[in-house]
Amino acid sequence: MPEDYFGEEVAARYDGSVGEHFEPEVIEATVDFLAELAGEGAALELGIGTGRIALPLSQRGVRVHGIDLSDAMVARLREKPGGDEIEVAIGDFATTRVEGEFRLAYLVFNTINNLTTQDEQVACFENAGAHLEPGGCFVVEVGVPKLRRLPPGQSFVPFDVREDYVGIDEYDVLNQGLISHHLWPEDGGWQRRSIPFRYVWPAELDLMARIAGLRLRERSAGWKREPFTAESRRHVSVWEKA
């Protein structure tokens, strides 16, 4: 099993996080997009966490199942209204299988990057494809690597600096590696939590999808289907099972 970076300490404060992904209008747009694709079918969330997306999606009448590595995150999901009605398998979402076929599988908020090797990311696409019914869709939301912000010889780029929080990304360009360092003041000093990722390019994801028997259906810069351009900071991509 991969290392779980979302244990009790993270889970306890995760739902109090701030940022674009936690804003109600962003969650609503995300759920609108996913509910449209799911239709009358079931949905599978890879990395379901505390249910930020799964719970409002299930409230739309979509049957949601989940896979997650973290017992602590899923425990927070169970504490919420409707959380105990969502079936969740504990395990690595790149390889863990659940019963049934799904109209939709989805992976949001850069979670594909939690898989730190190319082989693991390919396995994730294969696992998603194996769960989908014919014509079903796999959706991934992930940031576009910000290498244009990285001057030659520099490996650290701050992505958020506030009085009570500092976030810094450390790049390993040779291996497409990325470590996000999170720092916050506590007990008279600064605490740090560092999480490794593997950033991945849109074209590389398309090739992974082809390996898994999926083809690109659409790509946009956000959940409201904004046009994807060279300046886009992230993309929402949809691949369809033939």
Side-chain angles (χ1 to χ4, degrees):
M1 293 285 285
E3 185 172 349
D4 179 11
Y5 290 93
F6 295 84
E8 180 59 36
E9 182 181 354
V10 175
R13 62 174 184 270
Y14 185 82
D15 288 325
S17 300
V18 297
E20 178 185 358
H21 287 84
F22 296 88
E23 295 174 358
E25 58 269 26
V26 174
I27 293 175
E28 182 178 7
T30 305
V31 172
D32 286 343
F33 189 104
L34 296 174
E36 176 187 329
L37 288 177
E40 299 297 320
L44 175 65
E45 179 167 1
L46 308 181
I48 193 170
T50 65
R52 179 180 65 95
I53 300 302
L55 284 170
L57 184 60
S58 68
Q59 291 166 3
R60 296 284 187 91
V62 178
R63 291 175 289 115
V64 181
H65 298 243
I67 302 173
D68 204 284
L69 186 64
S70 173
D71 286 294
M73 295 285 277
V74 174
R76 292 302 190 283
L77 165 66
R78 296 293 186 220
E79 294 172 356
K80 299 176 182 178
D84 57 349
E85 299 174 6
I86 296 177
E87 295 185 19
V88 180
I90 300 297
D92 176 8
F93 60 73
T95 57
T96 300
R97 292 295 307 273
V98 301
E99 293 185 3
E101 284 191 324
F102 297 85
R103 187 67 185 171
L104 171 69
Y106 63 95
L107 188 60
V108 299
F109 197 9
N110 300 323
T111 307
I112 185 71
N113 293 343
N114 286 93
L115 303 173
T116 56
T117 70
Q118 188 181 69
D119 284 345
E120 290 173 327
Q121 291 175 344
V122 170
C124 177
F125 271 79
E126 292 176 323
N127 196 31
H131 282 95
L132 290 175
E133 62 186 47
C137 292
F138 181 37
V139 178
V140 172
E141 175 199 22
V142 64
V144 177
K146 303 179 180 65
L147 296 191
R148 287 195 297 177
R149 297 182 58 192
L150 197 63
Q154 182 173 320
S155 57
F156 293 88
V157 175
F159 61 85
D160 195 355
V161 178
R162 306 191 300 266
E163 290 185 0
D164 60 348
Y165 173 79
V166 175
I168 301 173
D169 282 336
E170 177 184 359
Y171 285 88
D172 175 4
V173 177
L174 182 62
N175 298 301
Q176 285 184 217
L178 170 67
I179 301 176
S180 287
H181 302 284
H182 307 266
L183 301 95
W184 65 95
E186 188 175 286
D187 298 330
W190 284 83
Q191 303 295 318
R192 187 184 76 177
R193 179 170 60 93
S194 299
I195 303 177
F197 300 98
R198 181 185 188 268
Y199 63 83
V200 62
W201 301 96
E204 188 181 5
L205 291 171
D206 290 342
L207 184 56
M208 294 180 185
R210 287 181 60 188
I211 291 171
L214 310 173
R215 61 180 177 82
L216 183 66
R217 173 168 156 175
E218 62 174 294
R219 172 169 291 134
S220 54
W223 295 108
K224 295 183 178 180
R225 290 186 166 87
E226 302 90 337
F228 181 71
T229 72
E231 303 302 319
S232 298
R233 297 184 298 112
R234 62 172 175 163
H235 62 97
V236 175
S237 296
V238 181
W239 298 272
E240 187 175 37
K241 185 172 183 176

